[in-house]
Each structure stands twice: as structure tokens, then as C-alpha cells.
Amino acid sequence: MGMYNLNEFKTEVVSSGTVYSVNYMLGEFKGSCKYVESPIKSKFQWGPIVLMVESDMGDVIEWVHKKTPLGSKDLERLQYYIREHSKSILLSHLKG
């Protein structure tokens, strides 16, 4: 997963109630992943439960593709990495 360096992007978390948007910005390349905090409570969960409900990361994928051409398997891995990266940014934000 280390071949995709999304850390070059400036990230910010914007919230509105229980809806959170993790925004990525690098020059003309922008993207966002939107999450909602779930009202589901679980004794097995150690932190907030957040569900991704929307992703608009086409520019970010294009940026990665320009740096390192992607095949179909690479695209699957990148999409997974984006989900994990954006969720880690959000959870760090929520922990304060």
C-alpha cells in the first residue's frame, strides 16, 4: 500500500452534525470522501462508528495514475487504500 502517497495532499475534515467530509487538495487535484456517524452502539466497538456514504476521488486517482500508471488490480488496491486513508484521517480528527 505504500506505493500510493496520499500524504502529499493537504487534507481537512469538515463536519456538519454527524456528517463528515474528508477533503483532499493538491493544486488542481481535489477529492472528498463523505462519512456519517452511525447511531449504532456496540459494546464491541472501541471508537465512533463511521460509514462512508460517498466518494468523489476521481482527481486523486488521476494524479496517482499520472505518477504511476495503474492497471485494473492497482486501481482496486488504490480504491481500498483511499478508503483506509480517509477513514484514518477522520478517526484522528475525531480523537482530537
Side-chain angles (χ1 to χ4, degrees):
M1 295 298 169
M3 66 186 268
Y4 313 118
N5 187 8
L6 298 183
N7 293 326
E8 291 187 42
F9 282 81
K10 179 181 182 263
T11 57
E12 68 177 0
V13 177
V14 178
S15 63
S16 176
T18 59
V19 178
Y20 300 91
S21 182
V22 180
N23 299 322
Y24 289 78
M25 297 146 292
L26 180 63
E28 64 185 34
F29 298 96
K30 296 173 178 22
S32 67
C33 295
K34 190 178 286 186
Y35 291 85
V36 294
E37 193 168 358
S38 173
I40 299 169
K41 301 295 181 199
S42 169
K43 62 183 175 184
F44 303 108
Q45 181 71 22
W46 289 279
I49 297 174
V50 291
L51 305 170
M52 182 186 283
V53 294
E54 187 178 314
S55 177
D56 182 9
M57 296 294 279
D59 282 358
V60 175
I61 292 170
E62 179 184 346
W63 178 83
V64 171
H65 182 65
K66 284 184 177 188
K67 290 189 81 163
T68 308
L70 300 170
S72 61
K73 291 223 182 238
D74 297 322
L75 186 57
E76 289 174 28
R77 289 183 193 114
L78 176 57
Q79 290 171 335
Y80 176 79
Y81 181 72
I82 286 171
R83 288 191 299 272
E84 291 299 310
H85 188 269
S86 63
K87 185 177 178 182
S88 72
I89 296 291
L90 176 57
L91 292 178
S92 292
H93 172 79
L94 292 175
K95 288 179 184 176

